[in-house]
Each structure stands twice: as structure tokens, then as C-alpha cells.
Amino acid sequence: MIHFSCSPAPPMVAANRGSSGASRRAVLAGGVTAVGLGTALPPRASVPQAASGTRHKWVRADGLDVFYREAGPADAPTLLLLHGFANSSFYFRHLMPRLADRFRLIAPDLPSFGFTQIPAERNYVYDFESLSRTIAAFVDAIELKRYVLYVFDYGAPVGWDLALTYPDRVAGIVSQNGNAYVEGLRPEAWDPLLTYWASPSVDKREAIRARMSLDGVKAAYFHGVADPSTIEPESFTLDAAILARPGNADLQIDLKLDYKRNIERYPLYQAFFRQLQPKLLAVWGKNDPFFAPAGAEAFRRDIPDAHIALLDTGHFALETQIDAVALEMRRFLLD
């Protein structure tokens, strides 16, 4: 496994480390832009179709058996892929082989998603603070010391929390519909949750349950997609099957209602962006019903050099625009 050189984090994000500060150059030293990975692809270059070679593993972390997918050479620069709702690391099944020729890719299943196993005696609390703590324990368990974060949907607040915990490990960020700004919250999607937070009640809670059904999950996949026939039915069917496991819908409602915590932490995440100036690509399905393109554009307010790519698709961009996303990532990472 490659070990990127790391610089100490500034007091704002890691006061307990006693560091005096860090410039963008120091933070990114040894990252993907400084290890001689190669030059940018020509404008019309195609994405290599590498053999998958994806491995499927579990590791004990935070008292859980965390399932994860891994592809690429063990000594290559690492990409940590964090999925969203209602999917799992399965979401990255086509992206991983497209990048595995140059990168090591790690994609864990968050607790209550996919195949991560939570012992009953663990008495796990299903909120975003717990998810973030588990992923921090996961990267420690597999000894990841330097990585590019790929964050999507729920994976965004988990990834932002991880960046605050280990700021010196972040070599760069790819945000695929991974929000960090109130401008990115579409009112039509978020007003029901805002109403619940202002006045919690059982009837408002139960209204959220509709998104936990097969039809609800399928609708989110199809929204904003010009040709839904290009979406593999295995994707939304697997998501719905996992949501249908006994008791899981209630856990997911609890988690969705906890999202208020993430919005309240947006100023912390934005301060991290301003101070450390990580290299960032926001590649966004512009027809996303939950996170508007304004959320992608807002990154430039704190990271002026951020690269923004808006794609004509919906929330689950990898299902319909996999080649475009992979090509944007290769250009971004190898430039």
C-alpha cells in the first residue's frame, strides 16, 4: 500500500494535534498531484476498460463486521468511495474497474446498508455521528493513511466528518451529488423534513416511509433520466430488498430524520474547504431531485479552483453516465 507523506493539520480542524497550520501545498504534498501518476488524458481519450478484479471483504471495525469492495493494486494511490441512500458499495460496481489500472479503490457499506453486519449486542445507534465514527474506525482498521474521498449523497456528511477527523489524510475530493451547502437543498424534497424537524409527529414520520418501498426507490433512480431503460434493474431492486429487511425501514427513517445534524454542520465543512483548499471535483447529475446544481457551484465560494462538471442525468449519476464520470475523474486525478 502506498503511504502518502502527510502534513500536520491546522488548529481549526485538529486542535488536539497541537499543529501551527498548513498551507494547501503542505496538505496536498504527496497526494495524487505530486506522486508522478502521469499527465492528463487528451480531450478525446477513452476510458480504459480494465478487468474488474474486485475483491469482496469484511473487516472488524467499531464492533461491526464492515463489508467492503476493493479493486486495483495495493500499492497504488487510494480512492475511498462512500455511497448514499438507499444503495451500498454495489453502486460503484462499474466505476471501480474503470479506474483500477491506476488506483486502489475501497468502497465500504455503511451500517444498515449493503452487507455490513451489526451484532445485536453492539446496541448500535443509527445516526450520522455513529456512521462517521464507524468509517473512521474502518479506515484505521485497514490502515488507510492517505486517500482521495469520493462522496455521494449520505456519503458526503460521513466523508466530511472523516475529513475533519483526519484532515492530513485527504489528498483530494470528488463530490458526486455530495452536498455541503444549503443552496443545494431542493425545497420540494426537503420541505417535508423541515416541517418534521419543526414539529415532530408520528404522521409526518410515517409519510417518509413511502420512499422505503420498491416504487419509492425506483422513482428516485428514474427521476431526471432521459432513458430509464439504461438503468440496470438490479440496482434499485437490491436497494429495496435491503430496505425491506425486518426493522430496517424504521432505522432508515431514524437516519433520515437525523439529517438535520448534517445541515447544522455545513459551516464546519465549509471552513475546512476554505482553510485547507483541497483539490476538488464536483461532478453532478444536474436533474437530481434532492441536490440542485447550485450545491455543486457553491464549492467555488470556498475553493475557487474547484472543477465543476454538470451532467444531464439524475441523482444516481453512475447508473447512466458512468463513462463521463470516470473520464472526468481520470482527468482530475491525473492532471
Side-chain angles (χ1 to χ4, degrees), residues 29-76:
V32 295
T33 60
V35 293
L37 296 182
T39 58
L41 292 175
R44 298 184 183 276
S46 61
V47 177
Q49 301 298 305
S52 173
T54 300
R55 284 86 68 192
H56 306 86
K57 303 180 178 181
W58 280 266
V59 67
R60 178 56 64 104
D62 192 28
L64 284 62
D65 291 318
V66 178
F67 174 83
Y68 66 103
R69 301 169 197 263
E70 180 176 1
D75 59 350

Side-chain angles (χ1 to χ4, degrees), residues 277-296:
Q277 291 295 298
K279 183 174 179 176
L280 183 139
L281 165 66
V283 57
W284 215 268
K286 66 180 180 180
N287 307 323
D288 188 327
F290 312 110
F291 300 117

Side-chain angles (χ1 to χ4, degrees), residues 163-248:
L164 294 183
T165 301
Y166 296 128
D168 51 319
R169 299 186 184 186
V170 179
I173 297 170
V174 177
S175 174
Q176 188 256 291
N177 297 75
N179 199 56
Y181 297 87
V182 293
E183 296 94 321
L185 302 174
R186 288 194 187 273
E188 57 271 29
W190 291 92
D191 281 353
L193 277 176
L194 293 172
T195 300
Y196 178 89
W197 293 331
S199 178
S201 65
V202 173
D203 61 316
K204 294 170 188 171
R205 176 184 172 89
E206 288 306 304
I208 299 170
R209 194 179 295 274
R211 271 218 60 205
M212 309 297 166
S213 67
L214 175 59
D215 286 343
V217 173
K218 184 177 178 181
Y221 270 83
F222 282 17
H223 186 101
V225 175
D227 183 4
S229 71
T230 61
I231 298 176
E232 298 171 0
E234 294 90 339
S235 57
F236 54 81
T237 302
L238 176 62
D239 290 359
I242 290 173
L243 283 173
R245 292 184 300 200
N248 202 25

Side-chain angles (χ1 to χ4, degrees), residues 65-218:
D65 291 318
V66 178
F67 174 83
Y68 66 103
R69 301 169 197 263
E70 180 176 1
D75 59 350
T78 300
L79 275 65
L80 178 63
L81 312 173
L82 299 177
H83 68 82
F85 177 89
N87 55 20
S88 64
S89 60
F90 184 73
Y91 182 59
F92 301 112
R93 66 197 180 280
H94 296 312
L95 181 66
M96 296 177 77
R98 282 168 167 79
L99 299 176
D101 62 318
R102 301 296 295 271
F103 301 96
R104 179 190 184 198
L105 300 106
I106 304 288
D109 284 351
L110 298 176
S112 74
F113 298 86
F115 301 107
T116 288
Q117 300 170 5
I118 304 97
E121 62 272 18
R122 175 64 175 75
N123 295 317
Y124 197 82
V125 177
Y126 292 88
D127 58 21
F128 279 92
E129 182 178 359
S130 296
L131 266 57
S132 297
R133 183 173 56 249
T134 296
I135 293 303
F138 168 76
V139 300
D140 285 341
I142 63 172
E143 300 182 344
L144 296 186
K145 301 301 182 185
R146 189 76 168 163
Y147 40 77
V148 171
L149 280 171
Y150 182 115
V151 298
F152 166 59
D153 188 63
Y154 277 16
V158 174
W160 307 145
D161 287 345
L162 182 63
L164 294 183
T165 301
Y166 296 128
D168 51 319
R169 299 186 184 186
V170 179
I173 297 170
V174 177
S175 174
Q176 188 256 291
N177 297 75
N179 199 56
Y181 297 87
V182 293
E183 296 94 321
L185 302 174
R186 288 194 187 273
E188 57 271 29
W190 291 92
D191 281 353
L193 277 176
L194 293 172
T195 300
Y196 178 89
W197 293 331
S199 178
S201 65
V202 173
D203 61 316
K204 294 170 188 171
R205 176 184 172 89
E206 288 306 304
I208 299 170
R209 194 179 295 274
R211 271 218 60 205
M212 309 297 166
S213 67
L214 175 59
D215 286 343
V217 173
K218 184 177 178 181

